PDB file of all heavy atoms in Angstrom:
ATOM      1  N   ASP L 124      -2.147  18.866   1.889  1.00 98.00           N
ATOM      2  CA  ASP L 124      -0.960  19.616   1.475  1.00 98.00           C
ATOM      3  C   ASP L 124      -0.951  19.890  -0.024  1.00 98.00           C
ATOM      4  O   ASP L 124      -0.016  20.502  -0.539  1.00 98.00           O
ATOM      5  CB  ASP L 124       0.313  18.870   1.874  1.00 98.00           C
ATOM      6  CG  ASP L 124       0.343  17.443   1.329  1.00 98.00           C
ATOM      7  OD1 ASP L 124      -0.694  16.956   0.827  1.00 98.00           O
ATOM      8  OD2 ASP L 124       1.408  16.797   1.421  1.00 98.00           O
ATOM      9  N   GLN L 126      -0.908  17.519  -2.450  1.00 98.00           N
ATOM     10  CA  GLN L 126      -0.365  16.441  -3.260  1.00 98.00           C
ATOM     11  C   GLN L 126      -1.455  15.460  -3.667  1.00 98.00           C
ATOM     12  O   GLN L 126      -2.528  15.390  -3.060  1.00 98.00           O
ATOM     13  CB  GLN L 126       0.744  15.702  -2.522  1.00 98.00           C
ATOM     14  CG  GLN L 126       0.272  14.841  -1.360  1.00 98.00           C
ATOM     15  CD  GLN L 126       1.358  13.873  -0.887  1.00 98.00           C
ATOM     16  OE1 GLN L 126       1.749  12.956  -1.598  1.00 98.00           O
ATOM     17  NE2 GLN L 126       1.856  14.112   0.331  1.00 98.00           N
ATOM     18  N   CYS L 163       3.432  10.356  -5.690  1.00 98.00           N
ATOM     19  CA  CYS L 163       4.849  10.666  -5.882  1.00 98.00           C
ATOM     20  C   CYS L 163       5.505  10.942  -4.527  1.00 98.00           C
ATOM     21  O   CYS L 163       4.834  11.041  -3.497  1.00 98.00           O
ATOM     22  CB  CYS L 163       5.011  11.901  -6.763  1.00 98.00           C
ATOM     23  SG  CYS L 163       4.370  11.720  -8.446  1.00 98.00           S
ATOM     24  N   GLU L 164       6.795  11.064  -4.557  1.00 98.00           N
ATOM     25  CA  GLU L 164       7.534  11.443  -3.358  1.00 98.00           C
ATOM     26  C   GLU L 164       7.270  12.910  -3.024  1.00 98.00           C
ATOM     27  O   GLU L 164       6.937  13.717  -3.904  1.00 98.00           O
ATOM     28  CB  GLU L 164       9.026  11.213  -3.597  1.00 98.00           C
ATOM     29  CG  GLU L 164       9.376   9.753  -3.836  1.00 98.00           C
ATOM     30  CD  GLU L 164      10.462   9.533  -4.875  1.00 98.00           C
ATOM     31  OE1 GLU L 164      10.728  10.455  -5.674  1.00 98.00           O
ATOM     32  OE2 GLU L 164      11.027   8.422  -4.894  1.00 98.00           O
ATOM     33  N   VAL L 165       7.418  13.270  -1.767  1.00 98.00           N
ATOM     34  CA  VAL L 165       7.237  14.657  -1.338  1.00 98.00           C
ATOM     35  C   VAL L 165       8.333  15.515  -1.962  1.00 98.00           C
ATOM     36  O   VAL L 165       9.515  15.155  -1.957  1.00 98.00           O
ATOM     37  CB  VAL L 165       7.263  14.756   0.202  1.00 98.00           C
ATOM     38  CG1 VAL L 165       7.309  16.213   0.658  1.00 98.00           C
ATOM     39  CG2 VAL L 165       6.044  14.050   0.782  1.00 98.00           C
ATOM     40  N   THR L 166       7.931  16.658  -2.515  1.00 98.00           N
ATOM     41  CA  THR L 166       8.851  17.522  -3.255  1.00 98.00           C
ATOM     42  C   THR L 166       9.431  18.630  -2.376  1.00 98.00           C
ATOM     43  O   THR L 166       8.984  18.886  -1.259  1.00 98.00           O
ATOM     44  CB  THR L 166       8.124  18.176  -4.436  1.00 98.00           C
ATOM     45  OG1 THR L 166       7.090  19.042  -3.917  1.00 98.00           O
ATOM     46  CG2 THR L 166       7.514  17.141  -5.359  1.00 98.00           C
ATOM     47  N   TYR L 170       7.734  20.470   0.887  1.00 98.00           N
ATOM     48  CA  TYR L 170       8.412  20.497   2.183  1.00 98.00           C
ATOM     49  C   TYR L 170       8.673  21.938   2.633  1.00 98.00           C
ATOM     50  O   TYR L 170       8.560  22.257   3.831  1.00 98.00           O
ATOM     51  CB  TYR L 170       9.714  19.701   2.145  1.00 98.00           C
ATOM     52  CG  TYR L 170      10.102  19.204   3.527  1.00 98.00           C
ATOM     53  CD1 TYR L 170       9.602  18.004   4.010  1.00 98.00           C
ATOM     54  CD2 TYR L 170      10.922  19.954   4.356  1.00 98.00           C
ATOM     55  CE1 TYR L 170       9.921  17.552   5.281  1.00 98.00           C
ATOM     56  CE2 TYR L 170      11.248  19.519   5.630  1.00 98.00           C
ATOM     57  CZ  TYR L 170      10.740  18.316   6.092  1.00 98.00           C
ATOM     58  OH  TYR L 170      11.038  17.880   7.356  1.00 98.00           O
ATOM     59  N   PHE L 173       5.535  23.199   4.123  1.00 98.00           N
ATOM     60  CA  PHE L 173       5.357  22.653   5.468  1.00 98.00           C
ATOM     61  C   PHE L 173       6.180  23.427   6.491  1.00 98.00           C
ATOM     62  O   PHE L 173       5.685  23.798   7.572  1.00 98.00           O
ATOM     63  CB  PHE L 173       5.740  21.180   5.472  1.00 98.00           C
ATOM     64  CG  PHE L 173       6.220  20.659   6.795  1.00 98.00           C
ATOM     65  CD1 PHE L 173       5.360  20.568   7.874  1.00 98.00           C
ATOM     66  CD2 PHE L 173       7.548  20.271   6.970  1.00 98.00           C
ATOM     67  CE1 PHE L 173       5.809  20.099   9.104  1.00 98.00           C
ATOM     68  CE2 PHE L 173       8.008  19.803   8.180  1.00 98.00           C
ATOM     69  CZ  PHE L 173       7.128  19.711   9.258  1.00 98.00           C
ATOM     70  N   PRO L 212      12.284  15.664  -5.674  1.00 98.00           N
ATOM     71  CA  PRO L 212      12.010  15.124  -4.339  1.00 98.00           C
ATOM     72  C   PRO L 212      12.899  15.771  -3.292  1.00 98.00           C
ATOM     73  O   PRO L 212      14.085  16.024  -3.540  1.00 98.00           O
ATOM     74  CB  PRO L 212      12.319  13.633  -4.484  1.00 98.00           C
ATOM     75  CG  PRO L 212      13.299  13.555  -5.611  1.00 98.00           C
ATOM     76  CD  PRO L 212      12.895  14.649  -6.564  1.00 98.00           C
ATOM     77  N   VAL L 213      12.335  16.070  -2.132  1.00 98.00           N
ATOM     78  CA  VAL L 213      13.143  16.594  -1.045  1.00 98.00           C
ATOM     79  C   VAL L 213      14.125  15.509  -0.614  1.00 98.00           C
ATOM     80  O   VAL L 213      13.784  14.328  -0.538  1.00 98.00           O
ATOM     81  CB  VAL L 213      12.258  17.045   0.140  1.00 98.00           C
ATOM     82  CG1 VAL L 213      11.516  15.892   0.778  1.00 98.00           C
ATOM     83  CG2 VAL L 213      13.079  17.815   1.162  1.00 98.00           C
ATOM     84  N   VAL L 214      15.374  15.892  -0.386  1.00 98.00           N
ATOM     85  CA  VAL L 214      16.414  14.973   0.068  1.00 98.00           C
ATOM     86  C   VAL L 214      17.078  15.567   1.300  1.00 98.00           C
ATOM     87  O   VAL L 214      16.766  16.681   1.719  1.00 98.00           O
ATOM     88  CB  VAL L 214      17.459  14.687  -1.035  1.00 98.00           C
ATOM     89  CG1 VAL L 214      16.813  13.977  -2.214  1.00 98.00           C
ATOM     90  CG2 VAL L 214      18.134  15.984  -1.496  1.00 98.00           C
ATOM     91  N   VAL L 216      16.634  14.651   4.214  1.00 98.00           N
ATOM     92  CA  VAL L 216      15.610  14.714   5.249  1.00 98.00           C
ATOM     93  C   VAL L 216      15.754  13.481   6.142  1.00 98.00           C
ATOM     94  O   VAL L 216      15.909  12.359   5.646  1.00 98.00           O
ATOM     95  CB  VAL L 216      14.197  14.808   4.632  1.00 98.00           C
ATOM     96  CG1 VAL L 216      13.903  13.629   3.718  1.00 98.00           C
ATOM     97  CG2 VAL L 216      13.133  14.935   5.703  1.00 98.00           C
ATOM     98  N   SER L 217      15.736  13.681   7.433  1.00 98.00           N
ATOM     99  CA  SER L 217      15.831  12.560   8.368  1.00 98.00           C
ATOM    100  C   SER L 217      14.486  11.867   8.499  1.00 98.00           C
ATOM    101  O   SER L 217      13.448  12.383   8.053  1.00 98.00           O
ATOM    102  CB  SER L 217      16.273  13.057   9.753  1.00 98.00           C
ATOM    103  OG  SER L 217      15.237  13.831  10.361  1.00 98.00           O
ATOM    104  N   TRP L 218      14.492  10.700   9.139  1.00 98.00           N
ATOM    105  CA  TRP L 218      13.219  10.012   9.425  1.00 98.00           C
ATOM    106  C   TRP L 218      12.337  10.921  10.274  1.00 98.00           C
ATOM    107  O   TRP L 218      11.119  10.995  10.045  1.00 98.00           O
ATOM    108  CB  TRP L 218      13.518   8.698  10.148  1.00 98.00           C
ATOM    109  CG  TRP L 218      12.308   7.879  10.457  1.00 98.00           C
ATOM    110  CD1 TRP L 218      11.714   6.960   9.648  1.00 98.00           C
ATOM    111  CD2 TRP L 218      11.547   7.891  11.678  1.00 98.00           C
ATOM    112  NE1 TRP L 218      10.618   6.392  10.274  1.00 98.00           N
ATOM    113  CE2 TRP L 218      10.499   6.950  11.526  1.00 98.00           C
ATOM    114  CE3 TRP L 218      11.650   8.599  12.876  1.00 98.00           C
ATOM    115  CZ2 TRP L 218       9.571   6.707  12.540  1.00 98.00           C
ATOM    116  CZ3 TRP L 218      10.725   8.370  13.880  1.00 98.00           C
ATOM    117  CH2 TRP L 218       9.699   7.430  13.708  1.00 98.00           C
ATOM    118  N   GLY L 220      12.284  14.165  10.274  1.00 98.00           N
ATOM    119  CA  GLY L 220      11.749  15.213   9.423  1.00 98.00           C
ATOM    120  C   GLY L 220      10.612  14.723   8.556  1.00 98.00           C
ATOM    121  O   GLY L 220       9.660  15.467   8.275  1.00 98.00           O
ATOM    122  N   ALA L 221      10.698  13.464   8.124  1.00 98.00           N
ATOM    123  CA  ALA L 221       9.611  12.875   7.336  1.00 98.00           C
ATOM    124  C   ALA L 221       8.367  12.681   8.196  1.00 98.00           C
ATOM    125  O   ALA L 221       7.242  12.983   7.780  1.00 98.00           O
ATOM    126  CB  ALA L 221      10.071  11.549   6.735  1.00 98.00           C
ATOM    127  N   VAL L 222       8.567  12.184   9.418  1.00 98.00           N
ATOM    128  CA  VAL L 222       7.439  11.973  10.327  1.00 98.00           C
ATOM    129  C   VAL L 222       6.774  13.301  10.680  1.00 98.00           C
ATOM    130  O   VAL L 222       5.540  13.409  10.748  1.00 98.00           O
ATOM    131  CB  VAL L 222       7.899  11.235  11.595  1.00 98.00           C
ATOM    132  CG1 VAL L 222       6.826  11.269  12.677  1.00 98.00           C
ATOM    133  CG2 VAL L 222       8.275   9.796  11.264  1.00 98.00           C
ATOM    134  N   ALA L 223       7.586  14.341  10.921  1.00 98.00           N
ATOM    135  CA  ALA L 223       7.032  15.651  11.274  1.00 98.00           C
ATOM    136  C   ALA L 223       6.124  16.174  10.163  1.00 98.00           C
ATOM    137  O   ALA L 223       5.043  16.722  10.433  1.00 98.00           O
ATOM    138  CB  ALA L 223       8.168  16.639  11.552  1.00 98.00           C
ATOM    139  N   TYR L 224       6.561  16.018   8.921  1.00 98.00           N
ATOM    140  CA  TYR L 224       5.739  16.449   7.791  1.00 98.00           C
ATOM    141  C   TYR L 224       4.426  15.678   7.771  1.00 98.00           C
ATOM    142  O   TYR L 224       3.340  16.276   7.653  1.00 98.00           O
ATOM    143  CB  TYR L 224       6.502  16.220   6.478  1.00 98.00           C
ATOM    144  CG  TYR L 224       5.737  16.641   5.243  1.00 98.00           C
ATOM    145  CD1 TYR L 224       5.976  17.871   4.662  1.00 98.00           C
ATOM    146  CD2 TYR L 224       4.782  15.819   4.664  1.00 98.00           C
ATOM    147  CE1 TYR L 224       5.280  18.282   3.524  1.00 98.00           C
ATOM    148  CE2 TYR L 224       4.071  16.205   3.538  1.00 98.00           C
ATOM    149  CZ  TYR L 224       4.325  17.438   2.968  1.00 98.00           C
ATOM    150  OH  TYR L 224       3.620  17.834   1.851  1.00 98.00           O
ATOM    151  N   CYS L 225       4.517  14.354   7.858  1.00 98.00           N
ATOM    152  CA  CYS L 225       3.308  13.523   7.794  1.00 98.00           C
ATOM    153  C   CYS L 225       2.325  13.880   8.908  1.00 98.00           C
ATOM    154  O   CYS L 225       1.122  14.048   8.662  1.00 98.00           O
ATOM    155  CB  CYS L 225       3.684  12.045   7.882  1.00 98.00           C
ATOM    156  SG  CYS L 225       4.541  11.405   6.413  1.00 98.00           S
ATOM    157  N   TYR L 230      -1.078  12.659   7.941  1.00 98.00           N
ATOM    158  CA  TYR L 230      -0.604  11.455   7.266  1.00 98.00           C
ATOM    159  C   TYR L 230       0.201  10.587   8.240  1.00 98.00           C
ATOM    160  O   TYR L 230       0.349  10.892   9.415  1.00 98.00           O
ATOM    161  CB  TYR L 230       0.316  11.816   6.095  1.00 98.00           C
ATOM    162  CG  TYR L 230      -0.270  12.636   4.985  1.00 98.00           C
ATOM    163  CD1 TYR L 230       0.401  13.774   4.515  1.00 98.00           C
ATOM    164  CD2 TYR L 230      -1.459  12.286   4.359  1.00 98.00           C
ATOM    165  CE1 TYR L 230      -0.092  14.529   3.467  1.00 98.00           C
ATOM    166  CE2 TYR L 230      -1.967  13.032   3.307  1.00 98.00           C
ATOM    167  CZ  TYR L 230      -1.284  14.155   2.865  1.00 98.00           C
ATOM    168  OH  TYR L 230      -1.769  14.903   1.823  1.00 98.00           O
ATOM    169  N   ALA L 231       0.759   9.509   7.672  1.00 98.00           N
ATOM    170  CA  ALA L 231       1.764   8.694   8.346  1.00 98.00           C
ATOM    171  C   ALA L 231       2.731   8.216   7.280  1.00 98.00           C
ATOM    172  O   ALA L 231       2.408   8.215   6.085  1.00 98.00           O
ATOM    173  CB  ALA L 231       1.127   7.499   9.056  1.00 98.00           C
ATOM    174  N   LEU L 232       3.918   7.841   7.686  1.00 98.00           N
ATOM    175  CA  LEU L 232       4.780   7.129   6.751  1.00 98.00           C
ATOM    176  C   LEU L 232       4.180   5.757   6.492  1.00 98.00           C
ATOM    177  O   LEU L 232       3.601   5.148   7.398  1.00 98.00           O
ATOM    178  CB  LEU L 232       6.189   6.980   7.315  1.00 98.00           C
ATOM    179  CG  LEU L 232       7.059   8.233   7.382  1.00 98.00           C
ATOM    180  CD1 LEU L 232       8.383   7.913   8.062  1.00 98.00           C
ATOM    181  CD2 LEU L 232       7.298   8.808   5.990  1.00 98.00           C
ATOM    182  N   PRO L 233       4.277   5.226   5.281  1.00 98.00           N
ATOM    183  CA  PRO L 233       3.784   3.864   5.048  1.00 98.00           C
ATOM    184  C   PRO L 233       4.622   2.851   5.814  1.00 98.00           C
ATOM    185  O   PRO L 233       5.828   3.056   6.020  1.00 98.00           O
ATOM    186  CB  PRO L 233       3.942   3.686   3.535  1.00 98.00           C
ATOM    187  CG  PRO L 233       5.012   4.655   3.141  1.00 98.00           C
ATOM    188  CD  PRO L 233       4.874   5.830   4.079  1.00 98.00           C
ATOM    189  N   TRP L 238       4.187  -0.190   1.879  1.00 98.00           N
ATOM    190  CA  TRP L 238       5.046   0.270   0.792  1.00 98.00           C
ATOM    191  C   TRP L 238       5.224  -0.839  -0.249  1.00 98.00           C
ATOM    192  O   TRP L 238       5.067  -0.597  -1.448  1.00 98.00           O
ATOM    193  CB  TRP L 238       6.403   0.713   1.341  1.00 98.00           C
ATOM    194  CG  TRP L 238       7.207   1.473   0.319  1.00 98.00           C
ATOM    195  CD1 TRP L 238       7.338   2.822   0.224  1.00 98.00           C
ATOM    196  CD2 TRP L 238       7.964   0.916  -0.768  1.00 98.00           C
ATOM    197  NE1 TRP L 238       8.124   3.142  -0.855  1.00 98.00           N
ATOM    198  CE2 TRP L 238       8.518   1.999  -1.487  1.00 98.00           C
ATOM    199  CE3 TRP L 238       8.210  -0.376  -1.217  1.00 98.00           C
ATOM    200  CZ2 TRP L 238       9.318   1.816  -2.621  1.00 98.00           C
ATOM    201  CZ3 TRP L 238       9.003  -0.561  -2.351  1.00 98.00           C
ATOM    202  CH2 TRP L 238       9.549   0.522  -3.036  1.00 98.00           C
ATOM    203  N   VAL L 295      14.716   8.434  -5.151  1.00 98.00           N
ATOM    204  CA  VAL L 295      15.267   8.471  -3.794  1.00 98.00           C
ATOM    205  C   VAL L 295      14.771   7.265  -3.018  1.00 98.00           C
ATOM    206  O   VAL L 295      13.674   6.757  -3.266  1.00 98.00           O
ATOM    207  CB  VAL L 295      14.875   9.765  -3.034  1.00 98.00           C
ATOM    208  CG1 VAL L 295      15.541  10.965  -3.664  1.00 98.00           C
ATOM    209  CG2 VAL L 295      13.375   9.941  -2.966  1.00 98.00           C
ATOM    210  N   GLY L 296      15.584   6.799  -2.067  1.00 98.00           N
ATOM    211  CA  GLY L 296      15.107   5.818  -1.121  1.00 98.00           C
ATOM    212  C   GLY L 296      14.093   6.466  -0.205  1.00 98.00           C
ATOM    213  O   GLY L 296      14.202   7.661   0.125  1.00 98.00           O
ATOM    214  N   GLU L 297      13.084   5.712   0.221  1.00 98.00           N
ATOM    215  CA  GLU L 297      11.953   6.299   0.942  1.00 98.00           C
ATOM    216  C   GLU L 297      11.833   5.724   2.354  1.00 98.00           C
ATOM    217  O   GLU L 297      11.754   4.503   2.537  1.00 98.00           O
ATOM    218  CB  GLU L 297      10.666   6.056   0.153  1.00 98.00           C
ATOM    219  CG  GLU L 297      10.709   6.676  -1.242  1.00 98.00           C
ATOM    220  CD  GLU L 297       9.473   6.366  -2.066  1.00 98.00           C
ATOM    221  OE1 GLU L 297       8.464   5.894  -1.490  1.00 98.00           O
ATOM    222  OE2 GLU L 297       9.517   6.588  -3.287  1.00 98.00           O
ATOM    223  N   TRP L 298      11.816   6.620   3.323  1.00 98.00           N
ATOM    224  CA  TRP L 298      11.635   6.223   4.710  1.00 98.00           C
ATOM    225  C   TRP L 298      10.287   5.522   4.899  1.00 98.00           C
ATOM    226  O   TRP L 298       9.278   5.938   4.330  1.00 98.00           O
ATOM    227  CB  TRP L 298      11.670   7.428   5.637  1.00 98.00           C
ATOM    228  CG  TRP L 298      12.997   8.083   5.850  1.00 98.00           C
ATOM    229  CD1 TRP L 298      13.376   9.338   5.453  1.00 98.00           C
ATOM    230  CD2 TRP L 298      14.125   7.541   6.547  1.00 98.00           C
ATOM    231  NE1 TRP L 298      14.664   9.604   5.850  1.00 98.00           N
ATOM    232  CE2 TRP L 298      15.149   8.511   6.530  1.00 98.00           C
ATOM    233  CE3 TRP L 298      14.375   6.317   7.180  1.00 98.00           C
ATOM    234  CZ2 TRP L 298      16.389   8.318   7.116  1.00 98.00           C
ATOM    235  CZ3 TRP L 298      15.617   6.113   7.768  1.00 98.00           C
ATOM    236  CH2 TRP L 298      16.601   7.101   7.738  1.00 98.00           C
ATOM    237  N   CYS L 299      10.285   4.483   5.725  1.00 98.00           N
ATOM    238  CA  CYS L 299       9.057   3.816   6.143  1.00 98.00           C
ATOM    239  C   CYS L 299       8.883   3.984   7.650  1.00 98.00           C
ATOM    240  O   CYS L 299       9.815   4.363   8.367  1.00 98.00           O
ATOM    241  CB  CYS L 299       9.091   2.329   5.780  1.00 98.00           C
ATOM    242  SG  CYS L 299       8.976   2.009   4.006  1.00 98.00           S
ATOM    243  N   LEU L 327      13.968   1.587   5.070  1.00 98.00           N
ATOM    244  CA  LEU L 327      14.001   2.457   3.891  1.00 98.00           C
ATOM    245  C   LEU L 327      13.744   1.584   2.673  1.00 98.00           C
ATOM    246  O   LEU L 327      14.276   0.474   2.572  1.00 98.00           O
ATOM    247  CB  LEU L 327      15.360   3.146   3.774  1.00 98.00           C
ATOM    248  CG  LEU L 327      15.437   4.348   2.835  1.00 98.00           C
ATOM    249  CD1 LEU L 327      15.085   5.618   3.604  1.00 98.00           C
ATOM    250  CD2 LEU L 327      16.826   4.488   2.237  1.00 98.00           C
ATOM    251  N   HIS L 357      18.011  10.160   0.229  1.00 98.00           N
ATOM    252  CA  HIS L 357      16.885   9.762   1.070  1.00 98.00           C
ATOM    253  C   HIS L 357      15.758  10.783   0.955  1.00 98.00           C
ATOM    254  O   HIS L 357      15.982  11.988   1.049  1.00 98.00           O
ATOM    255  CB  HIS L 357      17.296   9.679   2.540  1.00 98.00           C
ATOM    256  CG  HIS L 357      18.172   8.525   2.863  1.00 98.00           C
ATOM    257  ND1 HIS L 357      18.682   8.310   4.127  1.00 98.00           N
ATOM    258  CD2 HIS L 357      18.634   7.509   2.096  1.00 98.00           C
ATOM    259  CE1 HIS L 357      19.423   7.211   4.123  1.00 98.00           C
ATOM    260  NE2 HIS L 357      19.415   6.720   2.898  1.00 98.00           N
ATOM    261  N   GLY L 358      14.530  10.280   0.780  1.00 98.00           N
ATOM    262  CA  GLY L 358      13.339  11.110   0.782  1.00 98.00           C
ATOM    263  C   GLY L 358      12.192  10.314   1.400  1.00 98.00           C
ATOM    264  O   GLY L 358      12.402   9.399   2.192  1.00 98.00           O
ATOM    265  N   PHE L 359      10.961  10.620   1.012  1.00 98.00           N
ATOM    266  CA  PHE L 359       9.821   9.883   1.561  1.00 98.00           C
ATOM    267  C   PHE L 359       8.561  10.194   0.776  1.00 98.00           C
ATOM    268  O   PHE L 359       8.508  11.153  -0.008  1.00 98.00           O
ATOM    269  CB  PHE L 359       9.612  10.226   3.038  1.00 98.00           C
ATOM    270  CG  PHE L 359       9.119  11.624   3.309  1.00 98.00           C
ATOM    271  CD1 PHE L 359       7.772  11.877   3.584  1.00 98.00           C
ATOM    272  CD2 PHE L 359       9.999  12.710   3.306  1.00 98.00           C
ATOM    273  CE1 PHE L 359       7.315  13.162   3.839  1.00 98.00           C
ATOM    274  CE2 PHE L 359       9.559  13.994   3.564  1.00 98.00           C
ATOM    275  CZ  PHE L 359       8.212  14.224   3.831  1.00 98.00           C
ATOM    276  N   ARG L 360       7.554   9.340   0.972  1.00 98.00           N
ATOM    277  CA  ARG L 360       6.197   9.625   0.517  1.00 98.00           C
ATOM    278  C   ARG L 360       5.248   9.360   1.666  1.00 98.00           C
ATOM    279  O   ARG L 360       5.608   8.700   2.651  1.00 98.00           O
ATOM    280  CB  ARG L 360       5.825   8.825  -0.740  1.00 98.00           C
ATOM    281  CG  ARG L 360       5.500   7.364  -0.535  1.00 98.00           C
ATOM    282  CD  ARG L 360       5.092   6.723  -1.857  1.00 98.00           C
ATOM    283  NE  ARG L 360       6.217   6.680  -2.784  1.00 98.00           N
ATOM    284  CZ  ARG L 360       6.099   6.895  -4.106  1.00 98.00           C
ATOM    285  NH1 ARG L 360       4.906   7.152  -4.633  1.00 98.00           N
ATOM    286  NH2 ARG L 360       7.151   6.832  -4.887  1.00 98.00           N
ATOM    287  N   CYS L 361       4.038   9.854   1.557  1.00 98.00           N
ATOM    288  CA  CYS L 361       3.080   9.787   2.654  1.00 98.00           C
ATOM    289  C   CYS L 361       2.038   8.700   2.428  1.00 98.00           C
ATOM    290  O   CYS L 361       1.777   8.286   1.290  1.00 98.00           O
ATOM    291  CB  CYS L 361       2.358  11.127   2.817  1.00 98.00           C
ATOM    292  SG  CYS L 361       3.439  12.532   3.100  1.00 98.00           S
ATOM    293  N   ALA L 362       1.437   8.263   3.512  1.00 98.00           N
ATOM    294  CA  ALA L 362       0.293   7.360   3.450  1.00 98.00           C
ATOM    295  C   ALA L 362      -0.802   7.928   4.343  1.00 98.00           C
ATOM    296  O   ALA L 362      -0.526   8.680   5.285  1.00 98.00           O
ATOM    297  CB  ALA L 362       0.678   5.956   3.915  1.00 98.00           C
TER     298      ALA L 362
END
Side-chain angles (χ1 to χ4, degrees):
D124 55 349
Q126 71 166 293
C163 297
E164 297 142 342
V165 171
T166 64
Y170 205 86
F173 153 67
V213 65
V214 296
V216 58
S217 69
W218 182 87
V222 168
Y224 180 98
C225 290
Y230 299 131
L232 288 176
W238 193 99
V295 293
E297 300 176 14
W298 288 113
C299 290
L327 196 89
H357 288 178
F359 69 101
R360 76 177 67 218
C361 303

